[in-house]
Amino acid sequence: MLRFLCKLRESEIIEPLIPSIKACLIHRHSYVRKNAALAVYHIHKYFGSSLIPDGAELMGRFISAETELGSRRNAFLMLFNEAEELAIEFLRENAESLENFGDGFALLVLELTRKVCRREPIQKSRFVRFLFQLIISPSAAVSYEAAWTLASLSSAPTAIRAAASTYTALLWTQSDNNVKLIVLERLAEMKERHMRVLSEVLMDMLRALSSPNVEICKRTLEIALDLVSPRNIEEVIQVFKREVIRTRECDMENKSKYRTMLIKSIHKCAIKFPDIAGSVVHNLMDFLGADGANDVIIFVRSIIQQYPSLRVEIVERLLVSFRDIVASSVLATALWILGEYIESAELLENGFEHILANVGEWSTVLKVARGEWIDTFSQSNVTIGSKPVVLPDGTYATQILPSDNTPKGDTATASLQSLISAGDIFLGTVAAGALAKLACKTVETHGPYARISKKHQSSALVVCCYIAQLAGRSSKSDSLSEVLQMTNTASADSLERLGVFANLLLNPTEPALHDAFLVDSKLSFSHYLEHAQSEKVSCSDTSEVQAHAQADDLISWRQLRPSAVTGVDLELCDERDLMRATGMSTANDTFGLCLSHVYQLSGFADPVYAEASVTVHDYDIVLDILIVNRTQSTLTNLAVELATMGDLKLVERPQSLTVGPLDHRSIRANIKVSSTETGHIFGTVVYEKSSTAEKAYINLNNIHLDIMDYIRPATCSDQVFRHMWSEFEWENKVAISTNIQSLHEFLEHIVASTNMCCLTPKSSLGGVSSFLAANLYAKSIFNEDALVNVSVEKKDDADGRLSGYI
């Protein structure tokens, strides 16, 4: 009955029951007292002091004598909303026992704190004690809200440090992944304004890496990388190395993805702090034979170019781990590193012999090089497979995938030898190129007539002939699969390169060949690293640019105002003062965006005019419908009946209304979205005239929900893009038909129309060309991936019109 009275708005019914309601405040059952306090609150809220003039004093006496948590919470709710000073006085008198009043009461205290302090900032000192008491509450909800309140009301280092410590404690004490993600978002917001204070709790934050959820680890690493400083870099790297080792020992789900994220994080730290590069590169090289080896070798390649002092150590370690490498792409990069960065005489001999031993048995290599064909394919324990891959420019190619069937205990055959014998001509060409470079360096070191120089030159020439024989005769072998035979045409480039290597070995002192082969390669890679670094810097600078305030904008200084000033012009908290002074406001021009999503549902001549504002927010679509009665009669039981088409579900149907003459009302309807598809919303307006009670219907225009409302631009690496493209089951190829004659203008038009992000760097799209290929990427609100490749050509024989496919 008491709960029913909370919903009544008829004073004639409630007034006779007031004595009974007051009597329930001293009832022996706590459930009755709790609901009686709630009834007093609602009566006082809606009817003021007309029915219960002494409501505030009554609740003040009640809360002082009450011991039950729910009853005390409801009484404080009444004081919080109707008698604020009494609520603050009660808090001051009971400050010592505040933690014993329950979570619901504590959350009300925090809400009161935010309300008072934002209205009157000078009152902050009265609530600081309560905030520091609640921030150490055993309840996760209370401590989280207290930390958020403290950080929003004060920018003092002590307050930010306490809030950050509370957030990090919640990270590793709470088991709910959703809670951890919410806390990480709060830490990311704090990082933007209090990076120095937040770096003090970085090590506690990294304890969240123990979570088995990859998304939590990813978000933690993103925040941590911005907080790394010279003070904590050693400790952070130790944590990263420990986590990398853990991915090898544990059975963690998606451990290869997590290891890749760790390796990239270590790489970024090594670029930012060069002193730690030497301490991490050796640990990571233990993973050259495991999952994520490609990321490791790319990291090693960058480090060895950027830090010349580490080259000897890295090369020696790479020679030790070379036999453990099994992936073709990793072997190719490792061979390139050995060919480019081995310089000393001792390493030249060791490196050359090591590569030569891994290419194959010397007797077999000699026989094949002389033209004595041996069925190396049938002798090798490797089977040939293939799959289509997408190159960086969007074109297709067929990749040979040899799989080693050698028993795990048999390590006699090196991976390099097995892959070359299986028909990986490109890898063999890279090995021959590495040997040719080492042979030329040997000639430079020992002279052209030294015995070791002649030995290295002749051995490298034999390997070039060996690879050329494999490439030339593979098409004649019946034991090869059709896939390998189809890819033999790709060996033409390899044969041309082998010819260049042989020419270089026969003329090692030729200046043009020497410089192009031994100098330009390393120089080009150095330019590539500089270009990649400059692009990252420019991207970070662009993302950090905030909207600046105008030079003549008014700056409001709260410290210079008299304490008696009140009104709407007063800023609510120090944080907003700072944002207004620096122009770092995150508010966007949402008014224009709302106007673009307003749909007219009925005509101007209809008795009832209706229009709807559509707001798409993640999985929800909110319809704010404006209803205008254009007649001189009162319309009763007016209802908007909506229906949906597609994967849309109407969650809340609008209620019936009574609209007076020339009056207007607003109705809200909620719709859930379950997939990224185009949908339609349609319906009718049904109403009755009060004079005739005759029903009338007005059909509404359809609301078309475009799929682009669900698409958000996103970014990913080229490797991830190509992997997703090859894994997806289908694609849609669309021919181009446009009047646009500029390649770049057409690309910008596609990017703007599809709401996608262009992954192809601007530097790759520059210059004058009649062909353009670019990759676009976006994500839907349902975390679905959308991949687009644009391949456009401008033909002179077609009057300059563009042709191609998307």
Side-chain angles (χ1 to χ4, degrees), residues 40-55 78 82:
V40 171
Y41 162 56
H42 282 92
I43 293 171
H44 196 275
K45 176 182 178 181
Y46 291 107
F47 301 103
S49 58
S50 59
L51 296 182
I52 309 181
D54 58 341
M78 156 74 181
E82 304 299 322

Side-chain angles (χ1 to χ4, degrees), residues 348 352 435-436 438-461 505 508:
L348 279 173
F352 190 92
L435 291 173
L438 295 179
C440 291
K441 291 181 180 180
T442 304
V443 171
E444 286 185 348
T445 304
H446 298 281
Y449 303 107
R451 183 176 180 181
I452 188 173
S453 301
K454 295 297 184 182
K455 178 184 176 182
H456 284 187
Q457 283 178 277
S458 59
S459 299
L461 279 170
L505 291 168

